[in-house]
Amino acid sequence: MQRLYRNCYAMDRRCYDEYGLSEDLLMEHAAEGMARVIRERFEPGASILIVAGPGNNGADGIALARLLQGRYDLRLLLPLGAKSPMAKLQLERARRVGVPLAEEVEEAALIVDALFGAGLSRPLSEEVVALVERMNALEGFKLACDIPTGLDERGAPLPVAFRADLTVTMGALKEALYSDAAKECTGEILCVDLGVERLLYEEEIRVWLLDEADFDPPLREGWDAAHKGSFGHAAVFCGEKEGAGIIAASAAARFGAGLTTLVIHEKVSAPPFLMTSTTVPAKATAVAIGMGLGEYFESELLEKEVIDSRLPVVLDADALSQPELLQILHQEQRKVVLTPHPAEFTRLWKIVAEEELSVAEIQADRFDIARRFGARFPHVVLLLKGANPFITHLGELYVNPLGSVVLAKGGSGDVLSGLICALLAQGYEALDAAIQGSLALALAAQSWEGADYGMLPTDLIERLPKLGRE
Protein backbone atom coordinates (compact mmCIF):
# COMPACT_ATOMS: atom_id res chain seq x y z
CA MET A 1 0.00 0.00 0.00
CA GLN A 2 1.41 3.35 -1.06
CA ARG A 3 0.29 6.94 -0.49
CA LEU A 4 -1.29 9.05 -3.22
CA TYR A 5 -1.06 12.86 -3.43
CA ARG A 6 -2.97 15.52 -5.32
CA ASN A 7 0.39 17.21 -5.99
CA CYS A 8 3.92 17.32 -4.57
CA TYR A 9 4.56 21.07 -4.32
CA ALA A 10 4.56 21.19 -0.51
CA MET A 11 6.88 18.19 -0.28
CA ASP A 12 9.29 19.72 -2.79
CA ARG A 13 9.29 22.91 -0.72
CA ARG A 14 10.06 20.89 2.38
CA CYS A 15 13.11 19.46 0.62
CA TYR A 16 14.33 22.99 -0.04
CA ASP A 17 13.56 24.39 3.39
CA GLU A 18 14.30 21.47 5.75
CA TYR A 19 16.82 19.31 3.90
CA GLY A 20 18.76 22.02 2.10
CA LEU A 21 18.18 20.37 -1.28
CA SER A 22 18.07 22.79 -4.20
CA GLU A 23 15.68 22.64 -7.14
CA ASP A 24 18.70 21.78 -9.29
CA LEU A 25 19.60 18.83 -7.05
CA LEU A 26 16.06 17.45 -7.05
CA MET A 27 16.03 17.69 -10.83
CA GLU A 28 19.30 15.76 -11.09
CA HIS A 29 17.82 12.96 -9.01
CA ALA A 30 14.66 12.92 -11.12
CA ALA A 31 16.69 12.67 -14.32
CA GLU A 32 18.99 10.02 -12.89
CA GLY A 33 15.97 7.99 -11.79
CA MET A 34 14.65 7.98 -15.36
CA ALA A 35 18.12 7.27 -16.75
CA ARG A 36 18.50 4.28 -14.46
CA VAL A 37 15.20 2.82 -15.67
CA ILE A 38 16.23 3.33 -19.30
CA ARG A 39 19.66 1.75 -18.80
CA GLU A 40 17.98 -1.31 -17.30
CA ARG A 41 15.63 -1.73 -20.26
CA PHE A 42 17.54 -0.59 -23.34
CA GLU A 43 20.86 -1.79 -24.69
CA PRO A 44 23.63 0.75 -25.44
CA GLY A 45 23.27 2.22 -28.90
CA ALA A 46 19.46 2.12 -28.93
CA SER A 47 17.82 5.12 -30.60
CA ILE A 48 16.11 7.58 -28.22
CA LEU A 49 14.04 10.68 -28.95
CA ILE A 50 13.41 13.02 -26.01
CA VAL A 51 10.70 15.62 -26.61
CA ALA A 52 11.12 18.34 -23.98
CA GLY A 53 8.85 21.24 -23.14
CA PRO A 54 9.70 24.83 -22.21
CA GLY A 55 9.33 24.49 -18.43
CA ASN A 56 10.67 22.34 -15.64
CA ASN A 57 9.23 19.10 -16.96
CA GLY A 58 11.17 19.86 -20.11
CA ALA A 59 14.21 20.60 -17.95
CA ASP A 60 13.94 17.07 -16.51
CA GLY A 61 13.97 15.72 -20.06
CA ILE A 62 16.94 17.86 -21.07
CA ALA A 63 18.88 16.70 -17.99
CA LEU A 64 18.00 13.13 -18.94
CA ALA A 65 19.43 13.68 -22.41
CA ARG A 66 22.72 14.83 -20.90
CA LEU A 67 22.90 11.74 -18.68
CA LEU A 68 22.26 9.39 -21.61
CA GLN A 69 24.51 11.15 -24.13
CA GLY A 70 27.31 8.91 -25.39
CA ARG A 71 25.59 5.66 -24.42
CA TYR A 72 22.68 5.87 -26.86
CA ASP A 73 21.84 7.16 -30.33
CA LEU A 74 20.14 10.18 -28.83
CA ARG A 75 18.13 13.13 -30.19
CA LEU A 76 16.60 16.00 -28.19
CA LEU A 77 13.62 17.88 -29.64
CA LEU A 78 12.63 21.28 -28.19
CA PRO A 79 9.49 22.18 -30.16
CA LEU A 80 8.59 25.10 -27.86
CA GLY A 81 12.09 26.14 -26.90
CA ALA A 82 13.52 26.28 -23.37
CA LYS A 83 11.94 29.09 -21.35
CA SER A 84 12.15 28.43 -17.61
CA PRO A 85 15.44 29.24 -15.85
CA MET A 86 16.03 25.53 -15.13
CA ALA A 87 15.27 24.54 -18.74
CA LYS A 88 17.77 27.11 -20.00
CA LEU A 89 20.40 25.95 -17.49
CA GLN A 90 19.92 22.28 -18.39
CA LEU A 91 20.04 23.08 -22.12
CA GLU A 92 23.39 24.83 -21.70
CA ARG A 93 24.74 21.78 -19.86
CA ALA A 94 23.36 19.45 -22.54
CA ARG A 95 25.02 21.45 -25.28
CA ARG A 96 28.37 21.26 -23.51
CA VAL A 97 28.33 17.45 -23.58
CA GLY A 98 27.25 17.40 -27.22
CA VAL A 99 23.59 16.41 -27.03
CA PRO A 100 22.31 16.60 -30.64
CA LEU A 101 19.07 18.44 -31.38
CA ALA A 102 16.31 17.08 -33.60
CA GLU A 103 14.30 19.23 -35.99
CA GLU A 104 11.08 17.23 -35.84
CA VAL A 105 9.44 14.16 -34.35
CA GLU A 106 11.16 11.05 -35.66
CA GLU A 107 10.89 7.33 -35.03
CA ALA A 108 13.08 5.81 -32.30
CA ALA A 109 13.25 2.70 -30.15
CA LEU A 110 12.33 4.89 -27.16
CA ILE A 111 10.27 8.09 -27.20
CA VAL A 112 10.41 10.14 -24.00
CA ASP A 113 7.61 12.64 -23.33
CA ALA A 114 8.88 15.54 -21.19
CA LEU A 115 6.61 18.24 -22.61
CA PHE A 116 4.30 19.08 -19.70
CA GLY A 117 4.11 17.33 -16.33
CA ALA A 118 2.08 17.81 -13.16
CA GLY A 119 0.06 20.99 -12.79
CA LEU A 120 -1.37 21.34 -16.28
CA SER A 121 -4.35 23.67 -15.82
CA ARG A 122 -5.45 24.70 -19.31
CA PRO A 123 -6.10 22.83 -22.55
CA LEU A 124 -3.17 22.09 -24.79
CA SER A 125 -2.77 24.38 -27.79
CA GLU A 126 -3.60 23.06 -31.25
CA GLU A 127 0.13 22.91 -31.95
CA VAL A 128 0.83 20.74 -28.90
CA VAL A 129 -2.21 18.53 -29.55
CA ALA A 130 -0.86 17.81 -33.04
CA LEU A 131 2.58 17.14 -31.58
CA VAL A 132 1.24 14.70 -28.99
CA GLU A 133 -0.76 12.89 -31.64
CA ARG A 134 2.37 12.53 -33.81
CA MET A 135 4.25 11.14 -30.82
CA ASN A 136 1.44 8.69 -30.08
CA ALA A 137 1.57 7.47 -33.68
CA LEU A 138 5.22 6.42 -33.38
CA GLU A 139 5.89 2.72 -32.96
CA GLY A 140 8.67 2.90 -30.37
CA PHE A 141 8.36 2.25 -26.64
CA LYS A 142 6.93 5.35 -24.95
CA LEU A 143 8.02 6.74 -21.58
CA ALA A 144 6.36 9.70 -19.84
CA CYS A 145 8.30 11.96 -17.49
CA ASP A 146 6.33 12.42 -14.23
CA ILE A 147 2.85 12.54 -15.84
CA PRO A 148 1.88 11.99 -19.49
CA THR A 149 1.51 15.31 -21.29
CA GLY A 150 -2.11 16.38 -21.49
CA LEU A 151 -3.36 15.01 -18.15
CA ASP A 152 -4.47 17.64 -15.67
CA GLU A 153 -4.34 17.37 -11.88
CA ARG A 154 -7.55 15.32 -11.92
CA GLY A 155 -6.18 12.87 -14.48
CA ALA A 156 -8.41 14.18 -17.27
CA PRO A 157 -6.98 14.74 -20.78
CA LEU A 158 -6.98 18.35 -22.00
CA PRO A 159 -8.12 17.34 -24.60
CA VAL A 160 -5.68 14.53 -25.51
CA ALA A 161 -2.79 12.91 -23.68
CA PHE A 162 0.42 11.11 -24.47
CA ARG A 163 -0.12 7.35 -24.32
CA ALA A 164 2.85 5.96 -22.44
CA ASP A 165 3.95 2.37 -21.98
CA LEU A 166 5.76 3.46 -18.82
CA THR A 167 5.41 6.53 -16.61
CA VAL A 168 8.31 7.43 -14.32
CA THR A 169 6.91 9.81 -11.74
CA MET A 170 8.97 11.88 -9.33
CA GLY A 171 9.03 11.90 -5.53
CA ALA A 172 5.62 10.39 -4.83
CA LEU A 173 2.62 8.92 -6.63
CA LYS A 174 0.03 11.42 -7.90
CA GLU A 175 -3.72 11.00 -7.93
CA ALA A 176 -3.84 12.09 -11.57
CA LEU A 177 -2.12 8.86 -12.59
CA TYR A 178 -5.01 6.77 -11.28
CA SER A 179 -8.12 8.26 -12.85
CA ASP A 180 -10.02 6.01 -15.23
CA ALA A 181 -8.98 8.17 -18.20
CA ALA A 182 -5.33 8.05 -17.12
CA LYS A 183 -5.29 4.25 -17.10
CA GLU A 184 -5.10 4.26 -20.90
CA CYS A 185 -2.23 6.79 -20.87
CA THR A 186 0.15 5.85 -18.07
CA GLY A 187 1.14 2.26 -18.77
CA GLU A 188 3.30 0.85 -15.99
CA ILE A 189 3.98 3.38 -13.24
CA LEU A 190 7.28 3.68 -11.37
CA CYS A 191 8.20 6.24 -8.72
CA VAL A 192 11.78 7.49 -8.27
CA ASP A 193 13.08 9.50 -5.33
CA LEU A 194 14.37 13.06 -5.36
CA GLY A 195 17.41 12.83 -3.14
CA VAL A 196 15.80 11.48 0.02
CA GLU A 197 13.91 8.26 0.76
CA ARG A 198 10.18 8.47 0.17
CA LEU A 199 9.73 7.93 3.93
CA LEU A 200 11.38 11.33 4.47
CA TYR A 201 9.88 13.00 1.41
CA GLU A 202 6.23 12.05 1.83
CA GLU A 203 3.76 13.71 4.20
CA GLU A 204 1.01 11.98 6.13
CA ILE A 205 -2.13 11.56 4.07
CA ARG A 206 -5.20 9.30 4.07
CA VAL A 207 -5.27 8.36 0.40
CA TRP A 208 -3.82 4.98 -0.47
CA LEU A 209 -2.99 2.92 -3.54
CA LEU A 210 -3.66 -0.79 -3.03
CA ASP A 211 -1.43 -3.51 -4.43
CA GLU A 212 -1.39 -7.28 -4.63
CA ALA A 213 0.45 -7.59 -1.30
CA ASP A 214 -2.59 -6.08 0.45
CA PHE A 215 -4.76 -9.06 -0.46
CA ASP A 216 -5.62 -11.20 2.56
CA PRO A 217 -8.07 -13.97 1.62
CA PRO A 218 -10.36 -15.56 4.22
CA LEU A 219 -8.20 -18.64 4.75
CA ARG A 220 -9.13 -20.97 7.59
CA GLU A 221 -5.85 -21.80 9.25
CA GLY A 222 -6.34 -22.14 13.00
CA TRP A 223 -10.01 -23.09 12.67
CA ASP A 224 -9.56 -26.83 13.13
CA ALA A 225 -12.71 -27.25 15.23
CA ALA A 226 -14.88 -24.96 13.09
CA HIS A 227 -18.21 -25.81 11.48
CA LYS A 228 -20.22 -24.14 8.75
CA GLY A 229 -21.81 -21.77 11.23
CA SER A 230 -18.38 -20.46 12.13
CA PHE A 231 -18.13 -18.70 8.78
CA GLY A 232 -21.40 -16.88 8.65
CA HIS A 233 -24.57 -17.03 6.58
CA ALA A 234 -24.88 -14.79 3.52
CA ALA A 235 -28.36 -13.92 2.28
CA VAL A 236 -28.56 -12.66 -1.31
CA PHE A 237 -31.78 -11.29 -2.79
CA CYS A 238 -32.63 -12.88 -6.12
CA GLY A 239 -34.92 -10.60 -8.09
CA GLU A 240 -36.39 -10.05 -11.51
CA LYS A 241 -33.17 -11.01 -13.32
CA GLU A 242 -32.43 -14.12 -11.32
CA GLY A 243 -29.05 -14.78 -12.95
CA ALA A 244 -27.54 -11.74 -11.21
CA GLY A 245 -28.59 -12.96 -7.77
CA ILE A 246 -27.39 -16.50 -8.47
CA ILE A 247 -23.99 -15.21 -9.64
CA ALA A 248 -23.61 -13.07 -6.49
CA ALA A 249 -24.67 -15.89 -4.19
CA SER A 250 -22.34 -18.35 -5.93
CA ALA A 251 -19.45 -15.93 -5.43
CA ALA A 252 -20.35 -15.59 -1.74
CA ALA A 253 -20.33 -19.36 -1.31
CA ARG A 254 -16.97 -19.64 -3.10
CA PHE A 255 -15.42 -16.90 -0.99
CA GLY A 256 -15.91 -18.56 2.34
CA ALA A 257 -19.45 -17.97 3.55
CA GLY A 258 -20.39 -21.03 5.59
CA LEU A 259 -23.95 -20.92 4.31
CA THR A 260 -25.50 -18.96 1.45
CA THR A 261 -29.20 -18.46 0.86
CA LEU A 262 -30.98 -16.96 -2.13
CA VAL A 263 -33.94 -14.88 -0.98
CA ILE A 264 -36.52 -15.50 -3.69
CA HIS A 265 -39.99 -14.36 -4.72
CA GLU A 266 -40.75 -17.49 -6.67
CA LYS A 267 -38.92 -20.71 -7.44
CA VAL A 268 -35.63 -20.39 -9.33
CA SER A 269 -33.14 -22.88 -10.76
CA ALA A 270 -30.46 -22.51 -8.13
CA PRO A 271 -27.27 -24.59 -7.97
CA PRO A 272 -27.46 -27.31 -5.31
CA PHE A 273 -24.98 -25.62 -2.95
CA LEU A 274 -27.32 -22.62 -2.52
CA MET A 275 -30.35 -22.69 -0.26
CA THR A 276 -33.51 -20.73 -1.06
CA SER A 277 -35.99 -18.92 1.15
CA THR A 278 -38.74 -16.34 0.74
CA THR A 279 -37.38 -14.43 3.74
CA VAL A 280 -33.97 -13.61 5.13
CA PRO A 281 -32.97 -16.58 7.32
CA ALA A 282 -33.06 -15.89 11.05
CA LYS A 283 -29.38 -16.80 11.41
CA ALA A 284 -28.16 -14.77 8.45
CA THR A 285 -25.12 -12.62 9.25
CA ALA A 286 -25.08 -10.37 6.15
CA VAL A 287 -27.35 -9.49 3.26
CA ALA A 288 -26.82 -8.27 -0.31
CA ILE A 289 -29.56 -6.71 -2.40
CA GLY A 290 -29.97 -4.98 -5.73
CA MET A 291 -28.36 -7.27 -8.31
CA GLY A 292 -31.08 -7.79 -10.94
CA LEU A 293 -33.64 -6.81 -8.29
CA GLY A 294 -36.09 -4.86 -10.44
CA GLU A 295 -39.33 -4.22 -8.58
CA TYR A 296 -39.74 -7.82 -7.61
CA PHE A 297 -40.33 -7.56 -3.86
CA GLU A 298 -43.10 -5.74 -2.02
CA SER A 299 -42.20 -2.67 0.00
CA GLU A 300 -43.44 -4.25 3.21
CA LEU A 301 -41.05 -7.18 2.85
CA LEU A 302 -38.09 -4.94 2.01
CA GLU A 303 -38.83 -2.74 4.99
CA LYS A 304 -39.05 -5.69 7.37
CA GLU A 305 -36.21 -7.83 5.99
CA VAL A 306 -33.70 -5.20 4.88
CA ILE A 307 -34.41 -1.65 6.04
CA ASP A 308 -35.39 -2.49 9.62
CA SER A 309 -32.68 -5.14 9.88
CA ARG A 310 -29.35 -4.40 11.48
CA LEU A 311 -27.46 -6.96 9.43
CA PRO A 312 -24.40 -5.79 7.49
CA VAL A 313 -25.62 -4.99 3.98
CA VAL A 314 -24.33 -4.59 0.43
CA LEU A 315 -26.45 -2.31 -1.77
CA ASP A 316 -25.85 -2.63 -5.50
CA ALA A 317 -27.47 -1.95 -8.87
CA ASP A 318 -31.26 -1.53 -8.61
CA ALA A 319 -31.11 -0.95 -4.85
CA LEU A 320 -29.25 2.30 -5.51
CA SER A 321 -32.19 3.91 -7.28
CA GLN A 322 -34.85 3.02 -4.69
CA PRO A 323 -35.35 5.81 -2.13
CA GLU A 324 -36.80 3.46 0.47
CA LEU A 325 -33.70 1.23 0.45
CA LEU A 326 -31.42 4.26 0.52
CA GLN A 327 -32.82 5.10 3.96
CA ILE A 328 -30.19 2.60 5.09
CA LEU A 329 -27.50 5.22 4.42
CA HIS A 330 -28.67 7.08 7.53
CA GLN A 331 -28.22 4.04 9.82
CA GLU A 332 -24.91 5.11 11.28
CA GLN A 333 -24.39 2.04 13.48
CA ARG A 334 -24.82 -0.41 10.62
CA LYS A 335 -22.15 -1.86 8.32
CA VAL A 336 -23.17 -0.59 4.87
CA VAL A 337 -21.32 -1.02 1.56
CA LEU A 338 -22.49 0.59 -1.69
CA THR A 339 -21.08 -0.64 -5.00
CA PRO A 340 -22.32 1.66 -7.81
CA HIS A 341 -20.85 2.09 -11.24
CA PRO A 342 -20.85 5.74 -12.39
CA ALA A 343 -24.30 5.65 -14.00
CA GLU A 344 -25.78 4.12 -10.83
CA PHE A 345 -24.01 6.77 -8.78
CA THR A 346 -25.76 9.52 -10.73
CA ARG A 347 -29.15 8.10 -9.74
CA LEU A 348 -28.03 7.53 -6.15
CA TRP A 349 -26.64 11.07 -5.81
CA LYS A 350 -29.79 12.65 -7.23
CA ILE A 351 -31.83 10.92 -4.52
CA VAL A 352 -29.58 11.54 -1.52
CA ALA A 353 -28.11 14.94 -2.46
CA GLU A 354 -30.78 16.29 -4.83
CA GLU A 355 -28.04 17.17 -7.30
CA GLU A 356 -27.80 16.23 -10.96
CA LEU A 357 -24.45 14.75 -11.97
CA SER A 358 -23.59 13.27 -15.34
CA VAL A 359 -21.40 10.23 -15.82
CA ALA A 360 -18.90 12.49 -17.59
CA GLU A 361 -18.74 14.78 -14.54
CA ILE A 362 -18.14 11.82 -12.25
CA GLN A 363 -15.43 10.37 -14.46
CA ALA A 364 -13.72 13.76 -14.83
CA ASP A 365 -12.91 13.88 -11.11
CA ARG A 366 -13.57 10.60 -9.34
CA PHE A 367 -11.44 11.62 -6.37
CA ASP A 368 -13.61 14.67 -5.71
CA ILE A 369 -16.83 12.69 -6.13
CA ALA A 370 -15.68 10.01 -3.70
CA ARG A 371 -14.66 12.68 -1.18
CA ARG A 372 -18.00 14.48 -1.49
CA PHE A 373 -19.91 11.29 -0.84
CA GLY A 374 -17.62 10.45 2.08
CA ALA A 375 -18.18 13.86 3.64
CA ARG A 376 -21.96 13.36 3.53
CA PHE A 377 -21.98 9.71 4.65
CA PRO A 378 -18.65 9.09 6.40
CA HIS A 379 -19.82 5.87 8.09
CA VAL A 380 -20.88 4.27 4.77
CA VAL A 381 -18.34 2.44 2.62
CA LEU A 382 -18.58 3.56 -0.99
CA LEU A 383 -16.96 1.40 -3.65
CA LEU A 384 -17.20 3.42 -6.86
CA LYS A 385 -16.61 0.99 -9.69
CA GLY A 386 -14.46 1.82 -12.68
CA ALA A 387 -11.19 0.94 -14.34
CA ASN A 388 -9.61 1.82 -10.98
CA PRO A 389 -12.25 1.27 -8.26
CA PHE A 390 -12.32 3.86 -5.46
CA ILE A 391 -13.22 2.93 -1.87
CA THR A 392 -13.93 5.58 0.77
CA HIS A 393 -14.79 5.39 4.47
CA LEU A 394 -14.32 7.71 7.47
CA GLY A 395 -12.14 10.15 5.58
CA GLU A 396 -9.88 7.51 4.03
CA LEU A 397 -9.74 6.78 0.31
CA TYR A 398 -8.30 3.68 -1.35
CA VAL A 399 -7.67 3.09 -5.06
CA ASN A 400 -7.41 -0.37 -6.57
CA PRO A 401 -5.35 -0.18 -9.81
CA LEU A 402 -5.26 -3.95 -10.44
CA GLY A 403 -8.38 -4.33 -12.55
CA SER A 404 -8.26 -5.29 -16.19
CA VAL A 405 -10.41 -5.02 -19.29
CA VAL A 406 -11.58 -8.63 -18.94
CA LEU A 407 -13.90 -7.40 -16.18
CA ALA A 408 -15.82 -5.23 -18.67
CA LYS A 409 -18.67 -7.70 -18.93
CA GLY A 410 -22.09 -8.05 -17.35
CA GLY A 411 -21.99 -10.07 -14.14
CA SER A 412 -18.59 -8.94 -12.90
CA GLY A 413 -20.25 -6.49 -10.51
CA ASP A 414 -22.56 -9.23 -9.25
CA VAL A 415 -19.51 -11.31 -8.38
CA LEU A 416 -18.08 -8.33 -6.48
CA SER A 417 -21.24 -7.90 -4.43
CA GLY A 418 -21.18 -11.58 -3.54
CA LEU A 419 -17.53 -11.40 -2.47
CA ILE A 420 -18.18 -8.45 -0.18
CA CYS A 421 -21.30 -10.05 1.27
CA ALA A 422 -19.35 -13.23 2.02
CA LEU A 423 -16.74 -11.30 3.98
CA LEU A 424 -19.36 -9.29 5.87
CA ALA A 425 -21.06 -12.57 6.74
CA GLN A 426 -17.75 -13.85 8.13
CA GLY A 427 -17.45 -10.84 10.43
CA TYR A 428 -15.20 -8.48 8.44
CA GLU A 429 -15.51 -4.75 8.97
CA ALA A 430 -17.24 -3.04 6.06
CA LEU A 431 -14.10 -1.27 4.79
CA ASP A 432 -12.02 -4.44 4.92
CA ALA A 433 -14.74 -6.41 3.15
CA ALA A 434 -14.86 -3.86 0.33
CA ILE A 435 -11.08 -3.72 -0.04
CA GLN A 436 -10.58 -7.48 0.01
CA GLY A 437 -13.55 -8.14 -2.25
CA SER A 438 -12.25 -5.62 -4.77
CA LEU A 439 -8.76 -7.10 -4.69
CA ALA A 440 -10.10 -10.64 -5.03
CA LEU A 441 -12.12 -9.70 -8.11
CA ALA A 442 -9.12 -8.00 -9.75
CA LEU A 443 -6.71 -10.85 -8.97
CA ALA A 444 -9.16 -13.47 -10.19
CA ALA A 445 -9.40 -11.54 -13.46
CA GLN A 446 -5.62 -11.31 -13.72
CA SER A 447 -5.39 -15.09 -13.49
CA TRP A 448 -7.53 -15.50 -16.62
CA GLU A 449 -5.42 -17.01 -19.39
CA GLY A 450 -7.88 -16.88 -22.26
CA ALA A 451 -8.69 -14.10 -24.70
CA ASP A 452 -9.55 -10.83 -22.96
CA TYR A 453 -13.06 -10.87 -24.42
CA GLY A 454 -13.85 -14.41 -23.36
CA MET A 455 -14.11 -14.47 -19.58
CA LEU A 456 -17.49 -15.07 -17.93
CA PRO A 457 -18.50 -14.23 -14.35
CA THR A 458 -18.49 -17.94 -13.62
CA ASP A 459 -14.83 -18.07 -14.67
CA LEU A 460 -14.07 -15.47 -12.01
CA ILE A 461 -15.86 -17.53 -9.39
CA GLU A 462 -13.96 -20.68 -10.37
CA ARG A 463 -10.65 -18.87 -9.86
CA LEU A 464 -11.40 -17.71 -6.33
CA PRO A 465 -10.19 -20.90 -4.57
CA LYS A 466 -6.72 -20.46 -6.05
CA LEU A 467 -6.20 -16.95 -4.72
CA GLY A 468 -3.71 -16.88 -1.90
CA ARG A 469 -2.56 -20.42 -2.71
CA GLU A 470 -0.40 -19.85 -5.79
Side-chain angles (χ1 to χ4, degrees):
M1 196 178 297
Q2 302 178 74
R3 293 185 177 98
L4 282 178
Y5 297 86
R6 190 76 168 187
N7 60 62
C8 295
Y9 303 134
M11 292 181 288
D12 285 350
R13 176 57 58 187
R14 182 165 159 232
C15 286
Y16 309 148
D17 296 343
E18 294 187 23
Y19 302 146
L21 301 176
S22 66
E23 182 180 31
D24 195 355
L25 189 54
L26 264 62
M27 187 167 289
E28 288 300 314
H29 280 280
E32 176 55 37
M34 286 191 291
R36 185 168 56 250
V37 171
I38 291 169
R39 294 185 196 112
E40 290 171 354
R41 299 185 181 217
F42 290 86
E43 295 294 328
S47 58
I48 298 177
L49 173 68
I50 299 175
V51 185
N56 281 4
N57 190 254
D60 287 338
I62 299 169
L64 172 65
R66 169 172 47 81
L67 293 172
L68 299 179
Q69 173 63 13
R71 185 182 180 92
Y72 295 99
D73 177 14
L74 181 73
R75 296 290 184 275
L76 173 64
L77 178 62
L78 300 167
L80 305 174
K83 297 178 181 178
S84 75
M86 286 304 302
K88 293 176 180 178
L89 175 61
Q90 293 293 1
L91 181 56
E92 175 59 27
R93 292 170 176 171
R95 283 175 172 152
R96 292 193 180 199
V97 300
V99 171
L101 299 182
E103 296 295 327
E104 59 185 6
V105 171
E106 56 189 52
E107 191 62 74
L110 170 64
I111 298 95
V112 178
D113 161 37
L115 279 167
F116 296 101
L120 185 68
S121 59
R122 61 179 184 272
L124 300 175
S125 67
E126 291 183 6
E127 176 187 5
V128 176
V129 167
L131 177 61
V132 169
E133 289 177 340
R134 288 200 300 274
M135 293 164 63
N136 283 338
L138 297 176
E139 295 182 359
F141 186 90
K142 298 178 179 67
L143 184 152
C145 171
D146 198 30
I147 287 178
T149 289
L151 293 181
D152 67 9
E153 201 171 60
R154 305 167 303 161
L158 291 177
V160 300
F162 182 73
R163 297 173 71 94
D165 299 298
L166 169 67
T167 297
V168 179
T169 199
M170 315 306 175
L173 296 174
K174 286 86 173 171
E175 291 181 2
L177 298 171
Y178 295 96
S179 72
D180 276 14
K183 191 155 189 169
E184 294 187 345
C185 302
T186 58
E188 179 187 358
I189 300 170
L190 297 177
C191 183
V192 297
D193 67 49
L194 294 176
V196 292
E197 288 286 340
R198 284 172 69 182
L199 181 66
L200 297 175
Y201 178 80
E202 294 183 345
E203 297 176 338
E204 290 294 326
I205 198 166
R206 302 179 72 189
V207 185
W208 301 94
L209 182 73
L210 300 171
D211 57 44
E212 188 170 347
D214 296 313
F215 180 55
D216 186 18
L219 301 176
R220 297 182 175 185
E221 282 88 348
W223 289 81
D224 295 342
H227 54 82
K228 60 189 178 185
S230 303
F231 304 106
H233 188 160
V236 178
F237 274 75
C238 185
E240 189 174 304
K241 298 176 182 177
E242 65 181 57
I246 291 172
I247 287 170
S250 299
R254 274 290 195 190
F255 209 45
L259 293 165
T260 306
T261 293
L262 280 171
V263 181
I264 61 172
H265 186 272
E266 58 186 42
K267 187 172 181 177
V268 299
S269 300
F273 54 83
L274 298 179
M275 299 182 292
T276 59
S277 172
T278 56
T279 60
V280 174
K283 293 187 177 181
T285 54
V287 62
I289 186 169
M291 302 74 65
L293 185 68
E295 298 180 358
Y296 215 48
F297 293 90
E298 296 178 354
S299 296
E300 292 80 4
L301 183 142
L302 295 178
E303 183 172 356
K304 176 184 176 183
E305 301 285 350
V306 183
I307 300 168
D308 291 344
S309 169
R310 287 298 179 264
L311 290 177
V313 61
V314 180
L315 299 179
D316 184 30
D318 293 342
L320 302 173
S321 59
Q322 296 193 16
E324 57 182 341
L325 286 174
L326 292 178
Q327 297 175 53
I328 292 170
L329 272 63
H330 300 283
Q331 298 173 356
E332 296 189 7
Q333 303 306 311
R334 190 173 185 182
K335 296 179 183 178
V336 181
V337 181
L338 308 186
T339 59
H341 57 57
E344 290 164 347
F345 188 90
T346 65
R347 297 189 284 273
L348 157 71
W349 194 246
K350 183 176 181 180
I351 294 170
V352 301
E354 298 182 343
E355 180 185 0
E356 296 273 1
L357 280 177
S358 68
V359 170
E361 288 172 320
I362 292 170
Q363 293 298 84
D365 198 347
R366 289 166 58 84
F367 283 94
D368 179 66
I369 294 298
R371 288 181 174 113
R372 288 171 63 187
F373 180 91
R376 184 177 286 264
F377 299 105
H379 61 285
V380 173
V381 174
L382 170 70
L383 193 161
L384 180 60
K385 296 173 188 171
N388 291 327
F390 284 24
I391 303 167
T392 184
H393 182 240
L394 293 178
E396 295 190 328
L397 200 160
Y398 299 81
V399 180
N400 178 1
L402 303 177
S404 65
V405 70
V406 301
L407 290 169
K409 184 167 290 190
S412 297
D414 303 323
V415 173
L416 176 63
S417 295
L419 299 177
I420 296 171
C421 186
L423 296 177
L424 290 174
Q426 292 171 76
Y428 281 57
E429 293 300 320
L431 175 62
D432 293 333
I435 289 173
Q436 296 303 325
S438 178
L439 289 172
L441 185 77
L443 295 174
Q446 283 186 7
S447 72
W448 172 249
E449 296 177 350
D452 55 12
Y453 59 80
M455 191 177 70
L456 297 174
T458 48
D459 296 319
L460 288 168
I461 295 169
E462 289 173 3
R463 276 153 179 75
L464 293 172
K466 296 182 180 180
L467 298 182
R469 287 297 192 186
E470 295 178 343

